[in-house]
Amino acid sequence: MSSLQDLAVVIVDVQADFTTAHDGALAVPGTDHDYLERVSRAAGRLKELGLALYATQDWHPEDHVSFASRHPGKEAFETIELSDGRSQVLWPEHAVQETAGAAIVLDRSWFTQVVPKGAHPHYDSYSGFKDDSGRDTGLADILRAAGVRTLICFGLAVDYCLKATVCDALEAGFGVVVIQDLSRGVDPAASEAAWAEMRDKGADIWPSLDMERIKTL
Ligand code: VGL
Ligand code: ZN
C-alpha cells in the first residue's frame, strides 16, 4: 500500500513528430486530435488529484544515428548493424532538438520536469531512463528524490519508447501501472508483444484510467 505521495505520472514522448494530429515525421497510428484531447484530459485529472507529472522527450541532434538520412543507401524502418555490432532501427528524421516536431504537445506548465533523451549523436534512447550506451538520463534519481515509488505511465510508442521506459522503471524498482487507451503503438503485432512483455515483467496494465482505482494504489 502506498499513498498518493508515492505516485507520479510519466508521460512518454507525446511530441508533435509522433502524432498524426501535427503531421509528424514519425506519426504513430491513432494519434489524432481526439487522442491528444484524451491524454490532455487524463493528465489534467491526475494533476488535479495532486500527482506530479513528468515527461520524457525524444531530443535528437540533426546527425542522430537513428536517422536513415545518415546512412546512405538505407531506408527508414530498416534495421542495420552499426560498426560496433549493435543493431539499430532507422527512422525518418524526427524530434530534432529545438524544432517544432520535438515539442511536447501538452501543456508544458503541468510538468514538474521534462527529461530529454537521445541527445548523443551515436546512441539511441528508447528508454527514458538510459540510452543504448547505458548512460543514465537522471530520471530514476529525480523520481527517487521526490519520494516516488509507483509510476503511472502512458504515451508513445507502445512498442518502442513506452515499452523500454516501463521495463527500465521496473528494473529500477518502481511499481508501474500502464494505461492502454492513453497509449499508441507503431506496429499492432509488436505492440501486442510489448503489452505482454510489460505485463510479464511486472507492470500492471489497465485498459483505461480509473481515478478511483488510482486512489487505492
Ligand atoms: C520513438 C522511434 C524513434 C518513440 C522514438 O518515442 O517510441 N520511436 N524514436
Ligand atoms: Zn527517436
Side-chain angles (χ1 to χ4, degrees):
M1 189 81 181
S2 58
S3 70
L4 285 179
Q5 270 77 14
D6 300 342
L7 288 176
V9 181
V10 175
I11 302 181
V12 176
D13 295 11
V14 178
Q15 295 170 251
D17 265 342
F18 297 126
T19 68
T20 57
H22 291 270
D23 255 325
L26 180 37
V28 178
T31 53
D32 55 7
H33 286 287
D34 285 349
Y35 167 74
L36 288 180
E37 258 308 302
R38 180 191 291 256
V39 169
S40 180
R41 270 199 311 272
R45 267 191 257 128
L46 290 160
K47 179 106 188 124
E48 245 171 56
L49 187 63
L51 303 189
L53 267 49
Y54 297 84
T56 63
Q57 185 177 28
D58 218 32
W59 192 245
H60 297 315
E62 272 175 357
D63 58 347
H64 193 248
V65 67
S66 74
F67 295 168
S69 54
R70 309 305 299 184
H71 304 273
K74 304 291 180 188
E75 309 250 6
F77 308 105
E78 271 185 64
T79 302
I80 64 162
E81 188 175 314
L82 299 174
S83 52
D84 62 7
R86 288 180 297 125
S87 77
Q88 173 72 51
V89 180
L90 300 182
W91 303 103
E93 292 184 15
H94 64 278
V96 174
Q97 294 169 10
E98 314 294 351
T99 65
I104 290 182
V105 286
L106 296 167
D107 188 340
R108 264 303 264 242
S109 72
W110 284 348
F111 293 99
T112 299
Q113 199 155 343
V114 174
V115 176
K117 63 189 181 64
H120 192 294
H122 298 158
Y123 295 99
D124 214 345
S125 188
Y126 294 151
S127 165
F129 288 91
K130 62 178 184 329
D131 76 10
D132 289 356
S133 76
R135 187 173 321 205
D136 206 291
T137 62
L139 179 56
D141 287 338
I142 290 165
L143 294 169
R144 285 193 196 106
V148 174
R149 296 155 60 99
T150 303
L151 310 180
I152 297 159
C153 291
F154 49 86
L156 307 170
V158 172
D159 37 349
Y160 290 95
C161 292
L162 184 66
K163 176 181 79 169
T165 300
V166 166
C167 291
D168 280 352
L170 292 163
E171 201 174 288
F174 295 99
V176 186
V177 173
V178 198
I179 313 297
Q180 284 186 298
D181 75 350
L182 298 176
S183 304
R184 297 286 185 270
V186 174
D187 175 76
S191 297
E192 271 316 303
W195 288 119
E197 182 178 340
M198 290 186 264
R199 188 177 284 119
D200 286 349
K201 289 187 167 160
D204 200 354
I205 311 293
W206 294 7
S208 60
L209 185 62
D210 179 339
M211 295 304 289
E212 291 310 309
R213 197 171 167 197
I214 295 271
K215 294 171 193 163
T216 71
L217 283 172

